[in-house]
Amino acid sequence: MAAAQTTSWAAPSGGFVFDSSARAIRPITGFVGSGVFGTAILSGIDWAAIAPNQKSALVSQNSALVWIPDLNTPAQSQSLGWIPDATRAIWSADSTRAVVVTRTSVLWLAVSNQSVSLEAQWHLSGVRTEWGLMAADSAAKSVLLVAQTRPGRTSFRTSLWFAAEATSPVPVAFAGHASAAVFANNSSSIFIADAVTDQIFRVDQPQTQSTAQAVLNSSSYVSDASGLILSSDDSRIFITDRATSQIGQFDASTGGLITSIATDAGVGSAMLFAPGLFLLDPAQSNQPFMFFNLTNPTQVIFLPRGN
Amino acid sequence: MTRSFRLQLLAVLVFLLAVASPLSAQFNLVAQVNGQTAAVGNGGTVTFDAPAVGQTVTATLTVTYLGAGTAQFPGAVQILGSSAFSAGQTGSAVSLTTFQSTTVTVVYTAATSASASAALSWPYNQVTGTTTVATGVINIALLGVAPNPVLGQIPSGGGFTPVPPGGSFSFPNTVVNTTSSISAAIANSGTGPLTINSITLTGTGFAAPSLPLLPFTLAAGAQLSFTLQFSPTAAGSAQGSLQVSYASGSSSATLSGTGLTSLLGYQLSASGQTSSLNPGQAITLPATVTGAVSSVGIRLQNTNNTSVLVSSIAVTGGGYSLSGTPALPLTLAPNQTANFTVNFTPSQAGTYSGQLLVGSDIFPLSVTVALLPSFQFTGASGTQQPFQQPAIGLSLASAYPATIAGTLTIVDSASNAVNDPSVQFSTSGRTVAFTIPANTLQAIFPGGSTQIRLQTGTVAGTFIVVPDFTVGSPPVNVTPPNVPTLQLSVPPGSPVLLGATISGRTLTTITLSINGYDTTRSVNKLAFQLTPASGSTLSKTTVNLDVTANSQTFFSSALGLAGGGQFTVIIPFTLSQSGSSTTTDLTKNLSAISVTSANPTGSSNTLTVQIP
């Protein structure tokens, strides 16, 4: 026999957003599409990566990494002090894994309801080299790292590196200036936007240093690309732009422009927020947050920034 | 009288002359020089007036012997003294009987304008028969003079400032259609008289109105002054010449002057921009609307190297006024400035003319008082679906001559039961600013777009988008009374379920979390359909819950008001099976749960959650 017990009614919540300009995690009151930002639940944050389940988050505060299992009770956090100098983290789509980059390492974490454990780690070396995490696949098992090396006082060079739990970092055969990247959903390919040549390149076997191939060329949409998003079947690639209020939708195989989707402001970055929904950080602090919904119909939804 | 008596008388006269007359009386000396003839006594002076330096003067001296016997001049005429003199005579030896004449030519060449002196000496013998009865010398003093003309200017303080050859007379900056004057003079710094034949001016605007009758003889050391005038008829530099011709030679100098439209430089400050301004140039005040004062700033500057007196500053034309004018009369030192403001206070729409008068400088004034043109909203209007983000805009029916700043504000209708806080513009809040640049039609919103999106929220009701408009700085509200507004309404409807997930699960319980919204905020029923797993049976597959009371409690609470019509309902389903152990997962008997909600208006869509 099945019996329904008393219903309880709760405030509708659209999830949580890290507002980098406010250095705070802010809840969304209401659902995306009719939501507003609520009062910050946590402030003074260096950076934060919120899991797609909108429940937990990895947060760097005063240069110390902590894990918050439930953002509804942010005070209950667990210190991850054994991961010093963390600069960025990306979650897997199912929120069970996260990859973290520090100044000297890339680490893979398994996250459960109760704990965070280390699954793999690679040391990142290089004299006068700063490492960054550019993209991860949907399982957060493969990552694309960017290394910026300063051989001289005024010169620097940038290189891309592929790493996975079982694969130590190897250089990616890409000679351009990567401004955004995304892993394919259904293959090991990586799509990389080159801000110098205004092209999107595809690297099919990054772990074998296969040559990058240009798949599309667009000075209008690639020159100031801030994020790449792939449809679930990898057939369409969406390019967000920092300067213009447009998202270009391209055919990933032919490189042809399908359509242009208007946004409410320039986009600073794009990241997975929830299945089929991407959070578009505004390029400027006084502009609204936006969400890019890949489900039918594809649309941009704004979220008023509030005070 | 008999012939013999006359002869005797003559002899007596001759005897008397020979005996009684002094040596000078033996000759009659007549000098012809510079066109004049005069007797010269022995020992007298003949003056040579050269017309100019480098010129020659020739004097002819006629010597007539009056004595008895013969006057014999055994030698040539001697010129002793300045080499500027030279003499010539007819024959080197001259013999004159009574009443017989000879001439001596003396030439003077003026080497400088300084005087030159010499003496003519001509010894003679008075011979009677073969006996020299007397000797003597004809002595004539020779004086040569020449003039030296100097062209110059008499400054206002007096004195004389020579203008060298090729020099110029400069007039002060002169306002067009007025006259400035300077004093010129011709000085004769030489030793001889100067004949001035003509004084001629060339060049537009230059004149010498009070010249003396010419030709004019100017004595040595004397000065002839006259007035030169400059009367420009156009702005800009002017050139001319002054030519003075003398009996011999001439002097010349250039004349220069600058015509100005004004002795003052002007600057206009309007609409935040500064530009130069010339008398006669029209000043257009910024367009304004009724009740809004339009103003421009005026700056005067003395651009001359002498002080300028500003005697008056005034405006004409209804509605025009001045503010901040300096005390008058005002003396502006070179480069000194003064500022004031021209204002226009409109009473009704139209175009208004006037004048700004600064001394004799005139500036036409004009200003246009415009009414705000009609406008219309663009984009979404009327009935809107909830949970949407439509875009709206605003467009003028005709262009406006000034930039309009405005806002759109979302206002709840008084009939709305609740205020949905999610009804906001994408820029946050219920007010968004826009501008309509001058002479354009479209309102421009933050980010440069001609449209702005807003959230319609999830509560049935009407909200009104109210515009307001300002013009100018400081801003003046020009929103017309009864300003047209945009009405957007969200109709009441059935609930909408957005999503359902399993938010909790134990061996005996599955908790569903259901998200949705109800524009009437009156969900009263939740209906569930349980689908058994394959091979399982459920004694009850339909569960209907009356949630009227809980719904009302929630929607009237602070949490409910914060979400508008949105809600999250959490329902645990507990399964039981007689005889099952405590370790049996009874939830595996379910494969899916479907949910539908309802309110007095109708039923929602159905969502189905699969039970993994």
Side-chain angles (χ1 to χ4, degrees):
Chain A
M1 180 180 103
Q5 295 177 324
T6 307
T7 61
S8 60
W9 295 68
S13 173
F16 298 88
V17 170
F18 171 58
D19 185 346
S20 58
S21 64
R23 299 184 66 211
I25 293 178
R26 305 173 70 181
I28 301 173
T29 300
F31 307 120
V32 173
S34 191
V36 294
F37 267 132
T39 305
I41 62 167
L42 202 59
S43 302
I45 296 174
D46 307 324
W47 58 267
I50 298 174
N53 64 5
Q54 296 300 311
K55 188 176 178 187
S56 66
L58 291 167
V59 175
S60 174
Q61 197 170 25
N62 300 320
S63 300
L65 188 65
V66 298
W67 173 54
I68 300 176
D70 187 347
L71 287 168
N72 291 306
T73 53
Q76 297 177 6
S77 61
Q78 291 186 21
S79 171
L80 298 178
W82 47 275
I83 307 177
D85 299 325
T87 59
R88 193 186 172 194
I90 297 179
W91 286 86
S92 62
D94 62 6
S95 304
T96 62
R97 304 166 57 79
V99 59
V100 179
V101 162
T102 72
R103 296 189 193 283
T104 57
S105 301
V106 55
L107 305 92
W108 282 264
L109 308 177
V111 182
S112 68
N113 288 336
Q114 289 85 31
S115 65
V116 173
S117 59
L118 179 66
E119 288 201 332
Q121 178 179 3
W122 291 107
H123 180 68
L124 301 174
S125 62
V127 178
R128 304 173 74 169
T129 299
E130 293 181 7
W131 291 90
L133 179 58
M134 177 159 270
D137 67 353
S138 59
K141 289 192 174 182
S142 299
V143 295
L144 184 67
L145 302 169
V146 57
Q148 193 172 80
T149 303
R150 293 182 176 274
R153 188 173 299 178
T154 58
S155 63
F156 68 92
R157 62 171 184 267
T158 303
S159 57
L160 297 181
W161 295 71
F162 172 85
E165 285 184 328
T167 306
S168 63
V170 293
V172 173
F174 174 81
H177 180 77
S179 58
V182 64
F183 279 78
N185 294 306
N186 303 292
S187 70
S188 60
S189 300
I190 307 175
F191 291 82
I192 304 170
D194 184 353
V196 174
T197 64
D198 297 342
Q199 292 178 309
I200 302 290
F201 288 86
R202 191 184 70 236
V203 179
D204 290 325
Q205 299 288 335
Q207 65 275 25
T208 63
Q209 300 185 18
S210 63
T211 306
Q213 298 180 6
V215 296
L216 75 87
N217 187 331
S218 173
S219 61
S220 301
Y221 292 93
V222 184
S223 63
D224 209 2
S226 57
L228 297 180
I229 300 170
L230 281 170
S231 59
S232 58
D233 61 359
D234 296 333
S235 66
R236 291 169 294 155
I237 186 166
F238 301 86
I239 306 172
T240 64
D241 191 277
R242 203 178 313 273
T244 66
S245 300
Q246 300 286 335
I247 296 177
Q249 179 184 182
F250 291 83
D251 185 310
S253 57
T254 67
L257 176 67
I258 299 173
T259 188
S260 180
I261 304 164
T263 61
D264 296 90
V267 177
S269 64
M271 66 193 75
L272 181 67
F273 180 79
L277 191 65
F278 291 82
L279 173 65
L280 306 181
D281 251 11
Q284 297 184 26
S285 61
N286 60 350
Q287 294 171 332
F289 278 88
M290 295 161 285
F291 293 89
F292 187 44
N293 189 350
L294 280 187
T295 60
N296 190 25
T298 303
Q299 60 177 330
V300 173
I301 306 166
F302 71 81
L303 177 68
R305 178 183 283 274
N307 294 325
Chain B
M1 184 180 292
T2 64
R3 180 170 180 276
S4 64
F5 177 77
R6 286 200 296 274
L7 286 173
Q8 288 177 359
L9 181 61
L10 181 63
V12 170
L13 287 171
V14 169
F15 175 77
L16 288 173
L17 283 172
V19 172
S21 63
L23 195 61
S24 60
Q26 300 288 331
F27 296 93
N28 181 27
L29 305 175
V30 173
Q32 188 176 14
V33 63
N34 288 114
Q36 295 186 338
T37 302
V40 181
N42 193 7
T45 301
V46 174
T47 301
F48 295 73
D49 291 335
V53 170
Q55 299 292 310
T56 61
V57 178
T58 301
T60 302
L61 181 65
T62 303
V63 179
T64 304
Y65 181 56
L66 301 178
T70 305
Q72 293 181 341
F73 297 88
V77 172
Q78 292 180 328
I79 302 294
L80 306 173
S82 170
S83 60
F85 293 92
S86 63
Q89 63 182 88
T90 52
S92 58
V94 175
S95 180
L96 299 173
T97 57
T98 306
F99 298 125
Q100 195 173 15
S101 299
T102 186
T103 61
V104 176
T105 302
V106 178
V107 177
Y108 168 62
T109 302
T112 70
S113 61
S115 62
S117 299
L120 182 151
S121 176
W122 202 8
Y124 66 89
N125 298 322
Q126 187 176 14
V127 177
T128 303
T130 59
T131 305
T132 299
V133 297
T135 62
V137 180
I138 294 178
N139 288 310
I140 303 293
L142 307 174
L143 177 63
V145 295
N148 184 34
V150 178
L151 198 55
Q153 184 169 351
I154 301 176
S156 57
F160 178 82
T161 302
V163 175
S168 66
F169 290 85
S170 296
F171 288 82
N173 292 338
T174 307
V175 177
V176 168
N177 298 324
T178 66
T179 298
S180 63
S181 302
I182 59 175
S183 292
I186 304 169
N188 182 4
S189 64
T191 53
L194 175 69
T195 301
I196 302 170
N197 286 336
S198 67
I199 299 175
T200 310
L201 271 71
T202 67
T204 302
F206 296 100
S210 57
L211 292 175
L213 197 62
L214 297 174
F216 182 89
T217 300
L218 185 64
Q223 182 175 295
L224 172 67
S225 60
F226 53 96
T227 300
L228 298 177
Q229 292 182 338
F230 175 51
S231 305
T233 56
S237 61
Q239 296 263 328
S241 68
L242 168 67
Q243 291 216 329
V244 182
S245 65
Y246 311 106
S248 178
S250 65
S251 299
S252 66
T254 58
L255 306 174
S256 63
T258 301
L260 299 178
T261 54
S262 171
L263 290 178
L264 296 173
Y266 293 89
Q267 266 194 345
L268 170 68
S269 295
S271 301
Q273 294 189 335
T274 302
S275 59
S276 61
L277 184 66
N278 296 311
Q281 183 177 339
I283 299 173
T284 302
L285 277 69
T288 185
V289 295
T290 304
V293 176
S294 180
S295 301
V296 294
I298 305 293
R299 166 165 285 194
L300 318 174
Q301 182 174 28
N302 178 3
T303 56
N304 299 280
N305 54 11
T306 56
S307 295
V308 172
L309 178 68
V310 179
S311 57
S312 63
I313 301 174
V315 287
T316 66
Y320 288 98
S321 64
L322 295 172
S323 60
T325 51
L328 298 172
L330 170 69
T331 298
L332 288 176
N335 293 317
Q336 189 178 0
T337 61
N339 299 283
F340 61 92
T341 303
V342 177
N343 307 298
F344 181 80
T345 304
S347 57
Q348 52 189 346
T351 299
Y352 296 86
S353 300
Q355 285 187 331
L356 167 65
L357 305 146
V358 179
S360 60
D361 295 337
I362 302 174
F363 302 87
L365 301 172
S366 72
V367 64
T368 300
V369 181
L371 290 175
L372 189 72
S374 60
F375 63 91
Q376 62 181 12
F377 287 96
T378 63
S381 66
T383 301
Q384 301 295 307
Q385 292 304 307
F387 208 77
Q388 298 300 307
Q389 296 184 335
I392 62 174
L394 186 145
S395 177
L396 298 178
S398 58
Y400 190 74
T403 295
I404 299 171
T407 60
L408 296 180
T409 301
I410 301 171
V411 178
D412 275 294
S413 167
S415 61
N416 289 355
V418 296
N419 176 1
D420 187 344
S422 71
V423 175
Q424 294 190 17
F425 289 109
S426 63
T427 48
S428 293
R430 290 191 158 207
T431 298
V432 64
F434 65 84
T435 59
I436 306 178
N439 302 310
T440 67
L441 300 178
Q442 295 279 351
I444 306 298
F445 296 94
S449 176
T450 56
Q451 288 198 317
I452 184 75
R453 292 209 287 173
L454 56 90
Q455 293 186 145
T456 58
T458 53
V459 179
T462 299
F463 42 86
I464 302 156
V465 180
V466 182
D468 73 56
F469 306 88
T470 63
V471 174
S473 178
V476 175
N477 194 316
V478 295
T479 306
N482 302 316
V483 61
T485 59
L486 173 66
Q487 186 166 289
L488 300 171
S489 60
V490 173
S494 306
V496 174
L497 297 182
L498 297 173
T501 58
I502 299 173
S503 59
R505 186 174 185 175
T506 68
L507 295 177
T508 59
T509 303
I510 288 180
T511 301
L512 287 188
S513 180
I514 303 166
N515 296 330
Y517 63 84
D518 176 6
T519 57
T520 67
R521 309 175 84 245
S522 60
V523 176
N524 56 16
K525 179 181 174 183
L526 292 173
F528 299 91
Q529 186 70 35
L530 283 68
T531 302
S534 175
S536 299
T537 56
L538 296 173
S539 61
K540 186 179 181 181
T541 59
T542 301
V543 177
N544 294 316
L545 297 178
D546 184 341
V547 295
T548 305
N550 288 348
S551 164
Q552 286 181 350
T553 300
F554 169 74
F555 281 116
S556 60
S557 70
L559 287 179
L561 290 170
Q566 300 170 93
F567 61 84
T568 295
V569 180
I570 301 166
I571 307 104
F573 288 86
T574 301
L575 296 98
S576 63
Q577 186 178 46
S578 61
S580 64
S581 77
T582 57
T583 60
T584 302
D585 184 358
L586 298 180
T587 64
K588 290 187 176 180
N589 292 300
L590 282 174
S591 70
I593 301 177
S594 299
V595 56
T596 308
S597 67
N599 65 12
T601 303
S603 295
S604 73
N605 54 315
T606 299
L607 293 181
T608 299
V609 179
Q610 302 296 326
I611 310 298

